[in-house]
Amino acid sequence: MNPVRKKRLYIVLAILCGVSIAVALALTALQENINLFYTPSQIATGEAPVDTRIRAGGLVEEGSVKRSADTLEVDFVVTDGAHGVTIRYHGILPDLFREGQGIVALGRVNEQGVLVADEVLAKHDENYMPPEVMQALEKSGMMQKHNEAKAAKQGYQQESAQ
């Protein structure tokens, strides 16, 4: 083989190897950072993978928040109207977190079906709800109940302000 052709072949092979390595690294990084969203119904029926980082969301069930007396651990139930899933979180909850509020939790489902969250996100204003949570609530029919409760609360706040 001609030495010039041989040199070109080595250069092309080196470029192909470099591009292949870059693509493999990018795909690995993307795969590790994907957090799929699951509704409480999907988690309750076992569709969510165990010990894999996921996002789960819904409304915090009234009367379900249980705080530990001596640690920052909090257990609460999130529902989509059809099913509820217990979420265990160790840390300080967001200021906007409260019962009846739409939230998204990031964490891993354990063998008991409890989502052990390492991050809890609460909606940031009165009208916003994460799109995944809104779709799940609309499917289960809970969105109408949530809107009615919100309207009743706003009416009560307006009456008390006068």
Side-chain angles (χ1 to χ4, degrees):
M1 188 182 275
N2 187 344
V4 173
R5 281 190 173 174
K6 198 175 203 179
K7 187 177 179 182
R8 277 191 211 149
L9 180 63
Y10 287 139
I11 290 172
V12 169
L13 288 175
I15 290 172
L16 282 176
C17 286
V19 169
S20 299
I21 290 170
V23 167
L25 289 173
L27 289 176
T28 302
L30 287 174
Q31 193 171 26
E32 289 177 5
N33 290 327
I34 292 176
N35 296 321
L36 298 176
F37 181 84
Y38 290 91
T39 64
S41 293
Q42 290 173 314
I43 295 171
T45 58
E47 291 179 41
V50 175
D51 289 330
T52 300
R53 187 170 160 88
I54 64 166
R55 294 184 315 150
L59 295 177
V60 178
E61 207 170 83
E62 297 287 334
S64 70
V65 179
K66 294 174 182 60
R67 298 177 190 271
S68 173
D70 55 347
T71 66
L72 292 175
E73 191 162 294
V74 180
D75 287 358
F76 55 93
V77 176
V78 171
T79 184
D80 61 359
H83 292 90
V85 65
T86 300
I87 297 180
R88 180 168 295 133
Y89 178 67
H90 185 82
I92 298 172
L93 289 168
D95 291 338
L96 296 174
F97 178 90
R98 63 183 173 272
E99 294 175 350
Q101 185 79 27
I103 63 112
V104 173
L106 288 86
R108 300 175 191 280
V109 177
N110 64 17
E111 293 80 23
Q112 292 81 31
V114 175
L115 182 92
V116 180
D118 50 51
E119 189 174 358
V120 174
L121 307 171
K123 67 181 188 176
H124 65 277
D125 72 9
E126 284 298 316
N127 300 317
Y128 174 77
M129 186 170 297
E132 300 94 345
V133 174
M134 190 176 298
Q135 289 171 354
L137 292 175
E138 285 172 352
K139 259 189 202 176
S140 69
M142 277 290 287
M143 193 64 191
Q144 184 178 359
K145 291 179 187 175
H146 175 69
N147 289 339
E148 289 169 1
K150 190 169 71 172
K153 181 181 173 186
Q154 286 176 345
Y156 173 75
Q157 287 175 347
Q158 287 175 352
E159 286 176 11
S160 63
Q162 293 174 353

